[in-house]
Amino acid sequence: MLDKIIHYSIKNKLIIGLLTIGLIAWGGYSLTKLPIDAVPDITNNQVQILTVAPSQSALDIERLVTFPVEQIMATIPDIKEIRSFSRFGLSVVTIVFEDRVDVFWARQQVNERLTQAASQIPAGVGLPEIGPITTGLGEIYQYVVRPKKGYESKYNPMELRTIQDWIVRRQLLGTKGVADVASFGGFLKQYEIAIDPDKLRSYDLGINDIFTALQSNNQNTGGAYIDKKPNAWFIRVEGLINSQDDLGKIVVRNTSNGIPVLIRDIADVRLGFATRYGAMTYNNEGEVVGAVLMMLKGENSLAVVSRVKERIEQINKTLPEGVIVEAFLDRSALVNRAIGTVEKNLVEGALIVIAVLVLFLGNLRAGLIVASVIPLAMLFAVALMNAFGVSGNLMSLGAIDFGLIVDGAVIIVEATMHHLGLRSISRRLTQDEMDHEVYESASKIRTSAAFGEIIILIVYLPILALVGVEGKMFRPMAQTVSFAILGAFILSVTYVPMMSALFLSKEKEHRKNFSDRMMEFFHRLYTPLINGAIRHRFIVIASAIVLFIASVFLFLNMGGEFLPTLEEGDFAVETRVLTGSSLSYTVDAAQQGAAVILKNFPDEVMEVVGKIGSSEIPTDPMPIEAADLIVVLKDKSEWKKADNREELAEKMSEALEVIPGVTFGFQQPIQMRFNELMTGVRQDIAVKIFGEDLDILTGLSQQVGEIASSVEGARDLYVEQVTGLPQILVQINRDELAKYGLSIAQVNQAVNTAFAGQSAGLVFEGERRFDLAVRLSTQNRQGLEDVQNLFITSPTGDQIPLKQLADVDFKIGPNQVQREDAKRRIVVGFNVRGRDIATVVEELKQKIGQQVKFPPGYYPTYGGQFENLKEAQARLSIAVPVALGLIFMLLFFTFNSVKESALIFMAIPMAAVGGVLALLLRGMP
């Protein structure tokens, strides 16, 4: 069949030429549509369910929200695992599906069960919602909204947050490819009714009276219309609140003397803000407002960022004077660096291959014909990448080997030149004679060469067999190389014979060229060497066996890691203060950390942005005692205090040790987000300890943490704190409640409204809408005594202090509860620097097995990148032998001899010796 294709291509040059032009057009168009990113998106296939319940503790969140959501979602088909996170006021349930499941089908299944889940959650606790359709690579653009220099005093954090929510975010949401925009920091504006409890009691009023008054005095309605020929007069009643003055004039109740008691008589009507669970800082200049822009899953990040930048330019023109939107993390910068590296390597590789081809073939025309296969095969690969949804990135494009691509073309062209050199006719050949010569030479060699190319494709079968995270990372590489080799194969039996017949010289050449003299030189070196090897065959065989055994020993003791760390160009410094610390304290700690970094590393650092706590869309549910310091680095050529990323991280870590009570862990933004979304843990390695009792889990985690800190290479240790959260606990006395005819609901509403604040409706400012919140005034929300002295109104109108109805005191309670597959867990995590992950984990496992005794029902597992490494090794342990078996079978079918096939097959382990030595010399696992 191959002979017929070659013959047809040579005889129908115009058709092959037109098809080649068609390939160029197809590949060029596909190149403009190819999704571009820095790395493949390896995030597992997941759907998040977010439930915000500001008034509930971690244990109540777990019991009332997380558990019923987990149970109801567990019936969905093709679920791989369910992870959950319960913290004061927040529940995040992450459902991981099999990779083959369509994400929109998965979201539909989750959405269908949300109503049932909501019915299992007590009224008023929280409403579960699906998170945005995005992935670990989705956070493509992060920015701050801040005043320009000289305008700092004009805009406070509340005004900046309003600008972000109602100007910037609204316009960005209309951008193609944007899944959502999560606002971060600032003060969320509210119209606040700040109650004075003394005045409330003096008028013998309760909080319920205020809610009733507000809800009855904040509504519009209509009265249809009056038919007044020839017109219809429509009736409209405007009763919505438009200002603070309107709020103050609302009547709560009339006194016995008929005097109306207004809202302004018992409360301070003002602009307030919602309880904050997050903040953002800029350098060491104080708080700013910002946002994280999330890309829709499957979109082209470079194209989306480009559209976002255009929209930001338009938005900046519409902002109030003195306010600017500035990006601090921009995925396009990383993508451009990655693609720049790929382009540089591809261009340099192509030029080297072309130079070598011309040099060794000794014929400029022949060299150019073979070299032209490179761009054509690349265009063919790009077209198939676009068709099969493979993005262009470091892994997919960076793995292309031009030597493999031109292998088939070299064989065809070299065989043709050799055949032409042996012909007896000394005159110039006619085109028909040339066509015949090319066909004869190509058809004799092509079948044998095809087996070589098939073997090369088989080499990539183990990588194509990978699934899950490792498959998403490495399969694009195998697919792209396979596409390129397939394209080169097709070109070698169509385009190359046609071009050889058309453009190779038809004259018989007798002169020696540089290539001939060069090959003679190498033969003079090679001939004695091979003759000596044949004479001393036993020494050569023994040496090869010794080298192979030594390389196996080295390989087994070399360690391993899942994949090399991508240089993202920035740091994400995980910053933590003591559990139970306030938001303002964490903000101060973030500012101190930024000041130290900026002061000590002015040549390396451009800016530092701190993200404290959770954003408005809590897909990254950090507590208020945790922050991410995004350290935006300058170009490495400007660095003076370090030569590489790891060295800079070590020096920054040492500099930050001057800040007491704060721990810092160095990672990179994408790497950290990948780790968190894939395994629920941010660090490279995570020891997950499963059990039920939080106190026992805490004790075990402390033991494991001490062991982990003693392991060489373990850095940035993090031991999860599930307890230690200071709480004011109100334990209600039911006998006292019964005495006064009160219910639990009445007490709960009073406490919740007084301190958390409850919404009594909305206040509209044009299209903008803001919550109307009722709570105690700030001076009455300062401490334990204020909680104890909160008055509850009984059905008879009596005012009873809360301390008379309940025991109110301080108590240390649970901070957060994590679950995986319906079991509680606690995490000890750390990053690895200076050693490989596999060796560190093996040492840690050995020490934990010897030093820690786990009670019945409690056990550890090891996750993070190590988990991915083990899964990849398990699959390769099956796929590699299968691929080796297929290669041997192909060799046997080619040579029809076990001895000859085995002889050639031995090249594989012998070549691996060189690979192991190369890794050893470079210090790579």
Side-chain angles (χ1 to χ4, degrees), residues 59 194 219 234 249 370 377 392 419 511 650 721 732 751 808 852:
L59 287 180
Q219 50 189 269
F234 287 86
K249 294 176 182 178
V370 174
H419 191 75
R511 65 182 185 277
E650 290 288 349
Q721 299 296 318
I732 297 174
V751 173
V808 183
V852 182

Side-chain angles (χ1 to χ4, degrees), residues 755-876:
F755 295 95
Q758 280 197 357
S759 175
L762 296 171
V763 177
F764 291 86
E765 294 180 3
E767 292 183 341
R768 302 178 185 182
R769 58 180 65 192
F770 303 96
D771 274 334
L772 173 57
V774 179
R775 59 169 64 92
L776 289 183
S777 59
T778 306
Q779 60 267 29
N780 290 291
R781 292 184 283 119
Q782 296 299 315
L784 176 65
E785 295 79 10
D786 291 323
V787 180
Q788 292 173 332
N789 295 325
L790 176 69
F791 283 84
I792 314 296
T793 305
S794 72
T796 60
D798 296 328
Q799 300 279 345
I800 302 104
L802 183 59
K803 62 185 177 183
Q804 193 170 323
L805 302 171
D807 294 326
V808 183
D809 208 346
F810 275 113
K811 184 178 180 181
I812 300 300
N815 176 46
Q816 62 186 35
V817 181
Q818 292 201 63
R819 297 161 63 90
E820 188 170 316
D821 293 330
K823 297 184 289 290
R824 283 180 174 177
R825 75 174 192 195
I826 192 169
V827 170
V828 178
F830 56 89
N831 299 318
V832 176
R833 290 201 289 271
R835 288 184 76 186
D836 67 281
I837 286 176
T839 304
V840 170
V841 172
E842 289 303 323
E843 180 181 340
L844 180 65
K845 287 174 70 174
Q846 186 178 8
K847 288 185 174 181
I848 290 175
Q850 293 171 351
Q851 301 177 31
V852 182
K853 184 177 181 181
F854 291 90
Y858 293 77
Y859 59 93
T861 63
Y862 299 84
Q865 287 196 27
F866 177 76
E867 189 177 356
N868 300 322
L869 175 65
K870 284 298 182 184
E871 289 178 3
Q873 288 175 337
R875 292 190 176 277
L876 290 176

Side-chain angles (χ1 to χ4, degrees), residues 190-456:
Q190 289 181 337
Y191 281 79
E192 183 177 277
I193 309 297
I195 301 170
D196 185 326
D198 295 328
K199 291 181 179 179
L200 194 67
R201 287 197 306 276
S202 68
Y203 287 105
D204 200 22
L205 293 171
I207 289 176
N208 285 339
D209 297 316
I210 296 176
F211 273 97
T212 302
L214 290 172
Q215 290 166 358
S216 301
N217 289 274
N218 186 25
Q219 50 189 269
N220 284 357
T221 188
Y225 66 91
I226 296 173
D227 190 341
K228 198 74 173 176
K229 291 183 180 180
N231 300 315
W233 293 350
F234 287 86
I235 302 170
R236 180 177 172 222
V237 179
E238 287 193 353
L240 286 176
I241 295 167
N242 292 313
S243 65
Q244 297 177 55
D245 189 51
D246 289 346
L247 278 169
K249 294 176 182 178
I250 291 175
V251 177
V252 181
R253 182 192 292 173
N254 289 326
T255 66
S256 57
N257 298 326
I259 300 172
V261 179
L262 307 180
I263 289 287
R264 67 189 180 197
D265 295 330
I266 57 174
D268 183 13
V269 181
R270 63 192 181 191
L271 292 179
F273 55 89
T275 303
R276 299 207 301 160
Y277 293 96
M280 181 176 278
T281 60
Y282 182 76
N283 289 333
N284 54 348
E285 300 171 12
E287 287 195 48
V288 292
V289 174
V292 177
L293 188 144
M294 292 173 276
M295 180 181 71
L296 195 65
K297 183 175 183 178
E299 281 283 345
N300 184 338
S301 64
L302 206 57
V304 175
V305 170
S306 177
R307 290 193 286 267
V308 168
K309 285 182 175 179
E310 291 177 7
R311 187 62 63 90
I312 290 290
E313 285 184 16
Q314 297 174 8
I315 292 171
N316 272 324
K317 296 175 184 176
T318 66
L319 294 177
E321 183 184 3
V323 178
I324 188 171
V325 176
E326 282 185 340
F328 62 89
L329 268 189
D330 177 354
R331 178 66 54 76
S332 64
L334 173 63
V335 174
N336 289 333
R337 282 197 298 271
I339 297 304
T341 301
V342 171
E343 288 177 349
K344 178 175 177 289
N345 291 344
L346 290 180
V347 170
E348 290 178 353
L351 291 175
I352 290 171
V353 169
I354 291 170
V356 170
L357 286 172
V358 173
L359 196 63
F360 276 83
L361 289 174
N363 186 298
L364 181 61
R365 294 186 188 183
L368 293 178
I369 289 172
V370 174
S372 66
V373 171
I374 293 175
L376 292 174
M378 284 296 299
L379 288 173
F380 182 86
V382 167
L384 289 189
M385 287 171 68
N386 200 47
F388 285 89
V390 181
S391 68
N393 51 62
L394 273 176
M395 293 300 294
S396 60
L397 296 176
I400 291 179
D401 187 336
F402 292 124
L404 297 179
I405 289 176
V406 300
D407 188 49
V410 168
I411 291 172
I412 295 291
V413 172
E414 191 174 30
T416 299
M417 292 175 61
H418 179 73
H419 191 75
L420 290 172
L422 295 177
R423 73 182 190 273
S424 57
I425 304 174
S426 58
R427 61 176 173 78
R428 180 183 174 86
L429 297 177
T430 64
Q431 187 61 58
D432 287 340
E433 290 172 334
M434 185 66 175
D435 291 349
H436 178 73
E437 294 287 343
V438 172
Y439 171 73
E440 285 291 320
S441 58
S443 59
K444 287 179 181 178
I445 199 71
R446 181 61 257 183
T447 302
S448 300
F451 276 98
E453 289 170 330
I454 293 171
I455 288 173
I456 292 171

Side-chain angles (χ1 to χ4, degrees), residues 32-54:
T32 64
K33 299 296 182 182
L34 184 69
I36 301 293
D37 215 323
V39 291
D41 189 347
I42 60 175
T43 312
N44 44 27
N45 198 10
Q46 60 180 238
V47 178
Q48 283 188 319
I49 302 173
L50 313 173
T51 309
V52 177

